[in-house]
Amino acid sequence: MSSLTTTERHTATASKIIQPAWVRVMHWINAVAIFLMIMSGLQIYNASPLFRSLTFSQTITLGGWLAGALLWHFAAMWLLMVNGLIYLITGFASGRFARKLLPISPRGVISDTVAALTFKLSHDDLSKYNQVQKLLYTGIIAVGVIIVLSGLSIWKPVQLQYLTALFGGYDAARYVHFFCMSAIVVFLAIHVVLAVLVPKSLRAMIIGR
């Protein structure tokens, strides 16, 4: 059998499914839910700031006041929890997490970080994550679990007192929740920058190819 021509190889690569439909749908649902939760969460934070010198502009908050923000936050919470739980179950059951996120090695993370900072990191095959992506995606899944659990402990500190106690009490759970939110914001900023630098990755998350 003759080898593929350059055009044929390009066509085969372009038609390859990189992001399956279930990943794309859940990704964008999570994106909307997280966006709503962050904006409403900032409004809730403003009502009782953890840091006196830090409050957020009304232009980036949602709800208008505490009660309105809580309504938005709880609505988005259920959307995120249900969608996120289905995503986790599907990711583990299908073996996608094992294939895409493992293994992770310290040496590989350092090497790929250096390559990324010097703009030498290859993005030819979007179906395979580099070590930095594996670390970030695994980390954000862990942060997502923690922020949901800390949020539940803040929401129902009496009914879920054992969960609240795991975080060191109600006040400590608020700090955990805030710093997890901050980590998600940082992740999103990096995620958006990488999508701009590698636009074909955004295309793959929209059309799958």
Side-chain angles (χ1 to χ4, degrees):
M1 182 182 293
S2 61
S3 59
L4 293 174
T5 66
T6 301
T7 301
E8 289 172 329
R9 284 197 298 270
H10 177 75
T11 301
T13 300
S15 62
K16 181 180 180 181
I17 296 296
I18 298 173
Q19 302 290 0
W22 68 268
V23 171
R24 302 197 307 274
V25 170
M26 292 182 190
H27 171 275
W28 292 112
I29 291 176
N30 275 340
V32 172
I34 289 172
F35 179 75
L36 294 176
M37 291 206 73
I38 289 175
M39 293 186 68
S40 59
L42 294 180
Q43 181 65 50
I44 296 170
Y45 170 91
N46 281 346
S48 180
L50 292 171
F51 307 98
R52 293 183 180 180
S53 60
L54 178 61
T55 56
F56 298 93
S57 169
Q58 290 290 328
T59 58
I60 59 172
T61 64
L62 180 65
W65 59 311
L66 178 58
L70 286 170
L71 290 175
W72 276 104
H73 207 65
F74 291 147
M77 174 191 75
W78 289 113
L79 178 62
L80 181 64
M81 284 181 59
V82 172
N83 189 67
L85 183 60
I86 295 173
Y87 176 76
L88 289 177
I89 292 173
T90 308
F92 282 115
S94 66
R96 177 180 172 84
F97 288 165
R99 293 193 307 271
K100 304 283 282 187
L101 303 179
L102 298 175
I104 303 174
S105 70
R107 179 177 297 180
V109 171
I110 294 173
S111 176
D112 283 352
T113 299
V114 172
L117 293 175
T118 55
F119 300 100
K120 295 179 180 179
L121 190 62
S122 174
H123 299 285
D124 292 336
D125 187 357
L126 295 180
S127 65
K128 295 181 180 179
Y129 292 155
N130 59 58
Q131 291 287 310
V132 175
Q133 287 176 302
K134 290 180 179 182
L135 180 63
L136 287 174
Y137 293 148
T138 301
I140 204 62
I141 289 174
V143 169
V145 172
I146 295 172
I147 200 170
V148 167
L149 294 178
S150 61
L152 289 173
S153 70
I154 296 169
W155 180 37
K156 298 289 186 180
V158 177
Q159 295 88 336
L160 301 174
Q161 56 184 300
Y162 295 109
L163 178 60
T164 306
L166 286 176
F167 288 102
Y170 178 83
D171 291 332
R174 285 194 66 204
Y175 280 98
V176 171
H177 200 66
F178 178 82
F179 286 118
C180 283
M181 182 275 295
S182 301
I184 290 174
V185 170
V186 171
F187 170 83
L188 290 176
I190 296 173
H191 195 56
V192 170
V193 169
L194 292 178
V196 171
L197 293 176
V198 189
K200 60 183 179 180
S201 64
L202 177 60
R203 181 186 65 193
M205 191 53 75
I206 296 174
I207 65 173
R209 305 176 185 275

